[in-house]
Amino acid sequence: MSAADWMVVDTGLRPAPEHMALDMAFMAACDAAEIGSCFRFLRFEPSALLGFHQSPEQELDLAYCREHGIAVQRRLTGGGAIVFDPQQLGWELVCRRSALPAGDMSAMARIICEAAARGLGHLGIDARFRPRNDIEVEGRKISGTGGIMDGEVVLFQGTVLLDLDIATMLRILRVPVEKLDAHAIASVSERVTSLRHLLGETPALAAVEGALLQGFTEHLGMRFAPAPLPRAVAERLPAALDEVTAPEWLGMQGRGREWMPQKSAVLRVPGGTLRAEILLDQFGNRLRQVHFSGDYFVQPRRAVVDLEAALRNIHMDDLRAVVQSFFAEREWDGFGLLPENFADVVQRAAEAQT
């Protein structure tokens, strides 16, 4: 295989923890120059995947998931919770940043989504990129995407909805039972679609995979060659699996007993949905602690954790200056999220009525 080729690895239908561990293993192997650029296809046993910055208790009906055997896992990428079953096809790119066109995460998302949309067009649908990171057909979402960059290694992943069980999806997500009616299902169906709905039947997996690869070849000039799971990835898989099955991985955005937020607020902006939960010393007007979560993408991922640390015990009068200084001193990409959004949501939480 020449240096310009991308290996295509189909890791098939697996439990969610294995796929999350494979993401880690592929990225680590790529970072160590043990593998080249890879395009991976994957499918999930029934599961709910949290975005990296989300809290399981806030986003999912965990009791329903336990009762019905729905695995709960956390993605390496940001964004919102996704319900997966074998009716969705996952696809992803793992490569060095230099293997993709130059630009920030937003520019990279655009060109990758355009390539995927072009590929889906070969199935007979009019798929188009929709900012900030979706692919739509006639105004309805058929694919969501997201990515991260760790050092010089990129992981960018997306889904294709082959078919869709809206009622089950709504039940898994934290939607009040009293709202799970025909109106709710109809409302989602107006915004989300599937290949089965558009084509009248579910196309073969091989046809969908071939169409996607064709789109990337035409739009980005990529050359592909099928390959088995690389040995370097397989060797790293057990340790990665231990990491994603540890309680700390799933609970990293949860709240322990010692974390009882006095106030909270939610801010919806073009860059996503941002939630802040704060401990506030109202007498001294000091921010004792803040916890951010929500549906958003931030690169590098630990930037939000570092921001939380920087905001501990500051005077509220200094909030905006500290936030601006924090982001001015480091390279980061909020994928549409702005520094002032973090300050705004903390301020809104502080002003919320208890």
Side-chain angles (χ1 to χ4, degrees), residues 106-158:
S106 296
M108 184 169 63
R110 171 181 287 276
I111 197 165
I112 291 175
C113 287
E114 287 173 346
R118 182 164 180 170
L120 292 176
H122 289 292
L123 298 173
I125 60 176
D126 184 19
R128 300 174 181 270
F129 166 64
R130 179 176 69 190
R132 60 189 162 122
N133 59 327
D134 290 336
I135 299 170
E136 67 173 18
V137 178
E138 298 174 355
R140 296 180 178 182
K141 178 178 175 179
I142 195 170
S143 176
T145 71
I148 58 168
M149 187 164 64
D150 188 357
E152 289 299 314
V153 177
V154 172
L155 166 68
F156 196 94
Q157 50 195 190

Side-chain angles (χ1 to χ4, degrees), residues 104-107 132 269-272 296-299 332-342:
D104 61 12
M105 287 292 290
S106 296
R132 60 189 162 122
V269 293
Y296 58 87
F297 298 88
V298 169
Q299 179 65 39
W332 78 293
D333 190 341
F335 220 81
L337 208 62
L338 302 175
E340 52 263 37
N341 298 149
F342 290 93

Side-chain angles (χ1 to χ4, degrees), residues 279-300:
L279 285 169
L280 184 67
D281 177 359
Q282 292 179 291
F283 182 77
N285 198 27
R286 285 193 171 273
L287 180 64
R288 293 303 184 190
Q289 194 169 355
V290 60
H291 174 79
F292 294 110
S293 61
D295 174 358
Y296 58 87
F297 298 88
V298 169
Q299 179 65 39

